[in-house]
Amino acid sequence: MARFIDRVVLHLQAGDGGHGCASVAREKYKPLGGPDGGNGGHGGDIVLEVSNQVHTLMDFHYHPHIKSQRGGNGGGDNCNGARGEDLVLEVPVGTVVHDDKGEVLADLTVPGTRFIAAEGGFGGLGNRVLANHRRKVPGFALKGEPGQARDLVLELKSVADVGLVGFPSAGKSSLISVLSAARPKIADYPFTTLTPNLGVVDLGDDSYTIADVPGLIPGAAEGRGLGLDFLRHIERTAVLVHVVDTASIEPGRDPVSDIEALEEELAKYQSALDADTGLGDLRERPRVVVLNKADVPEAEELAEFVKGDLEEKFGWPVFIISAVARQGLDPLKYALLDIVKQDRARRPKQKADKKHTIIHPKVAGRKSQGAHLDFTVRKDPQVEGGFIVTGEKLDRWIEQTDFENEEAVGYLADRLNKAGIEDELRRQGAVEGAPVTISDITFEWEPMAGGGDPTATRRGQDARLQGTTRASAAERKRASQARRGLVDEYDYGQDEHVTREGANRDRWQG
């Protein structure tokens, strides 16, 4: 039996960024040709795309753990790593995306719209990009950032024009089966409908969709019965139809009390629907009352008796039908069509999003290349004399640093100093050797010399260039002259004087 899944929890892991490469060009006659390490590729995003070809969240129910592709590492010879491929997941029209705290991130109602559910990490920079006038040949590269990991809740709210509500066994499933081609389960016991049923009512050139939900009972808005799980499916409907069982023999049940009880539950189930769907409050939606089971003589008599009272009390159209005997259906179908047409004329028509509008979630603390360098420094409550530094970009810098490479650590120190963190630590009374925690790294603070001038020390500089054994231009010139016999290679006396003739006479003739 097929299952209707309308709520799932996804565990997403976007692709990590590839690591940058630390490489030096090595060619003939170029012993130190300069840095040529490429950048790492960005990790792949996880994207939700609205599709008319998907009608349930069942695939996600069985595969909730989703991970996108990692970015490739950079290589030598200025080769950048490949970008991780985005993972595009199709979701039904009417999918609402919540974060793990219940906040609505996106309401996906237009086919083609895309939502960035999890962003891939940025690739690390290679040493070619990190080179500057002070750091000619960096012996390090930045690591790729981890992709975004998060849990999201997907909730499906059916997009139907007409919603059927009523007590269990009121005949909602029978009604939708005779109005459309839907074939829901029908039986003579309560809560026959365990999942929402959708159908299309075809009236020649016109049509509209209709949905019924599991029977509501008093207390459904607080979680009793099945109503709480499926009330969301009537939030988007343009008109609500009260299906009333006029043949019920339960004590205390009558059409008026049934309608009032359901209206009370609908009033309790209020959320920000005006902002959510643009259809306004549930209490403001048009209503239609359907008195069902008129094929039973006593039920038909009761329906005729209360019809006028219901119209006077609620002011809604009332129809007497029999879904089983297919009586009184045509007036009901065309009356619902008129209400739906009025609603469609009032609302702007939504077209398929062929340009793929992309929704970027605003998530606090999310990494971004343009993030503002904001940080705070506070005293560590658990470590005497310690400090804790927090900031979005600072966390990124920690993730990018290879702490096994002293030069990379020096580069990080330069960045932190330039950001003003050392000045702030001094202002708050930090002393040399004080434990400072940034992200998940704790280190002993070593103030930079000169009050924070990063050029006053050797941190972050390339030690290979400071102690190179390569001959200078003057040394190479003298060696050339010595090979030609113009000078004595080992005599640096002031009276040394060599002529071309003497050099030719003393040169070995072989």
Side-chain angles (χ1 to χ4, degrees):
M1 177 180 177
R3 299 181 61 186
F4 182 88
I5 305 297
D6 64 349
R7 188 179 187 277
V8 295
V9 179
L10 298 184
H11 309 284
L12 306 179
Q13 174 62 65
D16 296 340
H19 301 320
C21 176
S23 173
V24 176
R26 302 182 186 280
E27 300 179 20
K28 192 174 183 180
Y29 307 120
K30 292 183 179 180
L32 194 62
D36 66 346
N39 302 331
H42 295 334
D45 298 334
I46 299 178
V47 183
L48 304 181
E49 181 176 344
V50 185
S51 173
N52 284 321
Q53 306 302 316
V54 182
H55 306 287
T56 179
L57 301 174
M58 184 178 299
D59 289 343
F60 304 124
H61 176 73
Y62 293 110
H63 302 93
H65 296 273
I66 300 172
K67 186 175 182 179
S68 58
Q69 189 177 30
R70 182 184 184 278
N73 294 334
D77 199 18
N78 300 317
C79 292
N80 294 329
R83 191 192 193 286
E85 185 176 354
D86 292 341
L87 183 58
V88 180
L89 308 174
E90 294 186 340
V91 296
V93 176
T95 300
V96 180
V97 184
H98 302 262
D99 61 14
D100 53 2
K101 297 180 181 178
E103 182 181 353
V104 176
L105 302 180
D107 189 359
L108 306 176
T109 58
V110 181
T113 302
R114 290 187 170 188
F115 171 74
I116 308 297
E119 294 184 283
F122 295 115
L125 299 179
N127 66 340
R128 174 178 58 87
V129 179
L130 297 174
N132 56 30
H133 68 283
R134 281 196 310 113
R135 190 177 291 106
K136 303 293 185 180
V137 185
F140 69 98
L142 298 186
K143 299 167 62 177
E145 299 179 24
Q148 187 179 16
R150 64 191 311 198
D151 294 338
L152 293 182
V153 179
L154 303 189
E155 191 176 76
L156 179 59
K157 297 182 180 180
S158 303
V159 183
D161 297 309
V162 179
L164 305 181
V165 296
F167 274 73
S169 298
K172 300 184 299 297
S173 298
S174 299
L175 180 57
I176 196 174
S177 69
V178 297
L179 292 180
S180 69
R183 292 295 176 264
K185 180 180 179 181
I186 301 173
D188 59 351
Y189 54 83
F191 298 115
T192 305
T193 302
L194 299 178
T195 63
N197 296 304
L198 299 176
V200 178
V201 180
D202 191 0
L203 296 174
D205 295 335
D206 296 306
S207 65
Y208 56 89
T209 56
I210 187 170
D212 78 315
V213 298
L216 302 181
I217 60 174
E222 283 77 36
R224 292 188 60 193
L226 300 175
L228 181 62
D229 291 335
F230 300 106
L231 274 170
R232 69 175 71 99
H233 293 282
I234 63 172
E235 286 187 7
R236 303 180 187 277
T237 56
V239 55
L240 296 178
V241 177
H242 279 281
V243 181
V244 181
D245 180 6
T246 56
S248 175
I249 59 175
E250 295 182 26
R253 291 277 303 277
D254 62 79
V256 174
S257 61
D258 282 2
I259 294 174
E260 289 178 341
L262 294 183
E263 284 296 319
E264 183 178 353
E265 292 306 312
L266 295 176
K268 293 178 181 178
Y269 187 74
Q270 292 302 325
S271 58
L273 295 181
D274 192 24
D276 182 24
T277 64
L279 294 176
D281 195 286
L282 277 175
R283 290 171 294 189
E284 299 174 0
R285 310 278 175 85
R287 302 285 204 275
V288 171
V289 178
V290 171
L291 303 177
N292 192 22
K293 303 186 180 180
D295 54 298
V296 179
E298 294 81 359
E300 183 181 14
E301 182 179 348
L302 176 61
E304 294 288 353
F305 179 76
V306 300
K307 182 175 184 292
D309 294 339
L310 292 175
E311 291 176 338
E312 182 179 355
K313 180 177 179 59
F314 298 105
W316 304 329
V318 179
F319 296 88
I320 300 175
I321 70 160
S322 171
V324 174
R326 297 177 181 263
Q327 298 175 3
L329 299 180
D330 286 345
L332 173 62
K333 289 193 290 187
Y334 286 98
L336 294 177
L337 177 62
D338 290 340
I339 298 176
V340 170
K341 282 185 174 181
Q342 294 175 12
D343 177 75
R344 290 174 178 173
R346 178 177 61 86
R347 284 188 290 158
K349 186 177 181 180
Q350 291 182 328
K351 298 181 180 180
D353 186 358
K354 297 181 179 180
K355 295 183 179 180
H356 293 301
T357 296
I358 299 178
I359 302 174
H360 292 272
K362 296 180 180 179
V363 182
R366 173 64 190 132
K367 299 180 289 290
S368 62
Q369 287 180 316
H372 180 64
L373 183 53
D374 248 347
F375 67 88
T376 58
V377 178
R378 58 186 175 88
K379 294 185 177 180
D380 192 333
Q382 299 180 350
V383 179
E384 184 178 357
F387 292 85
I388 297 177
V389 183
T390 57
E392 180 181 342
K393 267 196 173 181
L394 305 186
D395 293 341
R396 290 183 55 203
W397 292 352
I398 296 295
E399 292 170 348
Q400 294 170 343
T401 302
D402 178 10
F403 286 93
E404 300 297 324
N405 187 307
E406 293 185 359
E407 194 176 343
V409 175
Y411 177 74
L412 173 65
D414 287 347
R415 300 176 88 179
L416 297 177
N417 177 67
K418 187 176 180 180
I421 293 175
E422 295 207 356
D423 293 338
E424 182 63 21
L425 286 171
R426 286 193 188 89
R427 191 186 68 80
Q428 295 198 22
V431 297
E432 185 173 355
V436 177
T437 301
I438 303 177
S439 186
D440 56 351
I441 299 294
T442 301
F443 56 91
E444 294 182 356
W445 182 47
E446 297 179 5
M448 298 196 71
D453 181 6
T455 63
T457 69
R458 303 177 69 85
R459 287 197 293 185
Q461 296 182 354
D462 192 329
R464 295 174 301 173
L465 294 183
Q466 305 300 323
T468 179
T469 58
R470 187 182 182 189
S472 65
E475 292 172 336
R476 292 197 300 271
K477 179 179 180 181
R478 181 175 181 83
S480 175
Q481 291 175 337
R483 286 195 301 271
R484 290 181 292 161
L486 300 179
V487 298
D488 186 345
E489 182 176 3
Y490 302 103
D491 185 2
Y492 290 87
Q494 295 182 353
D495 298 329
E496 179 184 60
H497 180 72
V498 179
T499 64
R500 181 173 298 274
E501 293 75 10
N504 290 335
R505 182 180 64 248
D506 298 336
R507 182 176 297 174
W508 177 63
Q509 300 295 323

